[in-house]
Amino acid sequence: MRAIVVASTGGPEVLEYKDITVPEPSTGEVRIRVLKASVHFADIKKRKGAKGSGIPGILGLDAVGIIDKVGQDVNGLRIGDRVIAFVKTGSYAEFAIANALLVYPIADHVDTAVAAACPVPAFLSFMLLERVGRLSKGETVLVHAASGGTGLTLIQLARKLGAGKIIGTVSSDQKAALPLELGADHCITYNNLSESVRNLTDGAGVDLILDSLAGSVMEESFTCLAPYGRLVNYGNASGAAGSIKTSDVHSSCRALLGYSLGTTRKKRPEDLQHIAEQVISLIELGDITFPSIQEFKLEDANKAHQLMESRTHAGKILLHITD
């Protein structure tokens, strides 16, 4: 099969397009013929050696495709099913293996590009807002990195779940249009963050902050959190750790929470099974959309990585693998 293999850490040039052996599913697994796969910032970090293991190997967290082989002890999934999946062996390839607990059928009417774009942003956003952040109707939400795939999904889902006011943050004013189009009430840059949030909330602060950046942005964000508010950190895109004082937590009843979709896939895949029907229904009904998608051929994965690292693209970046 054709695949992008990473033999060593480094820049986009280490992404090698080659033929390798087709993998076989084990007990409790299925093999998927991959149609399209998302490119994630986590792929960039792994390629550079900054995130977990997996090098040498194949990058890619999720995909849309067709089941073409089923291992033993797999219930409810059949050869020929069109599915979205969180994959085990990497999705930058014509075939990928996935734990059957992390494979979900999706209706044929959902555009293939949308199906490829949705797994990580949709499942992650639902968990962050509904389960971890416990969003209540009317609350004010602050979404960092609002022009990325997950940020745009968080904005749409927060609106669907009844958020009162949604504030997005972006690295430049040029990225503000899409978050505003998809439901953000305001979109600001990280310059003078706390002052801007105070002005937009009449000094009250926000009830829920969704932070994928960490570092100094998280620290400043926490000063914008209202009493009883929750800050959920789900990423470390800045590359730096943030520090919060316990004295800033208990007396104000504010909470600092952490969530990792990757950890959940590995340790509690059943948690994602429990919400799959709700999440996929949102996609199938068009309640979550992905209006800004750019696709690259599999052999041009290095160009896809270059675009993502440039931080100039708003929305999702995909690899087109097979028809």
Side-chain angles (χ1 to χ4, degrees):
M1 68 175 183
R2 299 175 303 125
I4 297 293
V5 179
V6 183
S8 61
T9 59
E13 70 278 359
V14 303
L15 301 177
E16 185 179 357
Y17 180 66
K18 61 190 301 185
D19 284 323
I20 62 173
T21 303
V22 176
E24 294 293 329
S26 299
T27 300
E29 296 178 344
V30 303
R31 187 171 70 195
I32 298 166
R33 178 170 61 85
V34 179
L35 302 176
K36 298 180 189 291
S38 280
V39 176
H40 296 283
F41 192 72
D43 300 337
I44 307 292
K45 295 179 72 174
K46 182 171 285 190
R47 191 201 73 218
K48 292 180 173 181
K51 184 179 179 66
S53 58
I55 305 299
I58 300 172
L59 300 176
L61 302 176
D62 55 3
V64 60
I66 308 297
I67 293 176
D68 90 311
K69 194 168 186 178
V70 176
Q72 295 182 344
D73 296 333
V74 171
N75 297 316
L77 296 171
R78 298 171 296 180
I79 292 174
D81 284 351
R82 183 177 191 254
V83 297
I84 56 174
F86 299 106
V87 302
K88 174 184 176 182
T89 57
S91 56
Y92 290 20
E94 287 185 286
F95 294 91
I97 302 298
N99 179 337
L101 295 177
L102 296 171
V103 177
Y104 321 99
I106 190 163
D108 290 342
H109 76 262
V110 177
D111 182 79
T112 303
V114 170
C118 79
V120 166
F123 279 81
L124 177 56
S125 295
F126 192 91
M127 290 296 292
L128 290 173
L129 287 164
E130 207 269 349
R131 298 295 175 91
V132 183
R134 307 183 309 280
L135 175 66
S136 295
K137 288 184 179 181
E139 288 190 318
T140 299
V141 181
L142 176 64
V143 178
H144 285 319
S147 64
T150 298
L152 294 171
T153 306
L154 282 166
I155 288 168
Q156 295 175 76
L157 188 54
R159 181 62 68 207
K160 179 73 176 177
L161 295 176
K165 181 181 290 185
I166 302 171
I167 303 170
T169 62
V170 290
S171 58
S172 66
D173 290 330
Q174 289 73 23
K175 290 186 175 183
L178 200 51
L180 291 169
E181 179 185 330
L182 292 182
D185 296 291
H186 307 280
C187 201
I188 60 177
T189 67
Y190 302 108
N191 299 323
N192 302 315
L193 173 63
S194 55
E195 180 181 355
S196 296
V197 172
R198 281 194 294 270
N199 290 338
L200 292 173
T201 60
D202 296 324
V206 298
D207 301 296
L208 178 60
I209 299 173
L210 301 165
D211 166 52
S212 61
L213 303 175
S216 60
V217 172
M218 187 189 81
E219 294 171 353
E220 186 174 3
S221 298
F222 202 79
T223 69
C224 308
L225 198 59
Y228 296 93
R230 292 85 60 207
L231 187 155
V232 185
N233 173 254
Y234 67 97
N236 190 38
S238 71
S243 178
I244 303 295
K245 295 179 181 179
T246 55
S247 57
D248 292 332
V249 176
H250 78 278
S251 62
S252 61
C253 300
R254 296 181 293 180
L256 174 63
L257 302 158
Y259 183 75
S260 166
L261 187 64
T263 300
T264 302
R265 294 196 306 270
K266 293 174 185 175
K267 296 191 173 184
R268 294 186 177 181
E270 65 277 4
D271 285 2
L272 302 182
Q273 267 207 323
H274 294 158
I275 66 167
E277 184 175 345
Q278 293 166 276
V279 172
I280 292 174
S281 177
L282 291 166
I283 301 298
E284 292 178 344
L285 292 172
D287 289 330
I288 297 175
T289 63
F290 298 88
S292 181
I293 294 175
Q294 187 159 342
E295 292 193 42
F296 292 82
K297 295 178 181 179
L298 179 61
E299 55 265 38
D300 293 328
N302 60 332
K303 296 178 182 178
H305 276 224
Q306 288 168 2
L307 177 61
M308 178 159 282
E309 287 187 270
S310 74
R311 297 182 184 270
T312 59
H313 179 70
K316 291 290 295 180
I317 299 173
L318 303 181
L319 296 179
H320 177 87
I321 298 173
T322 57
D323 294 317

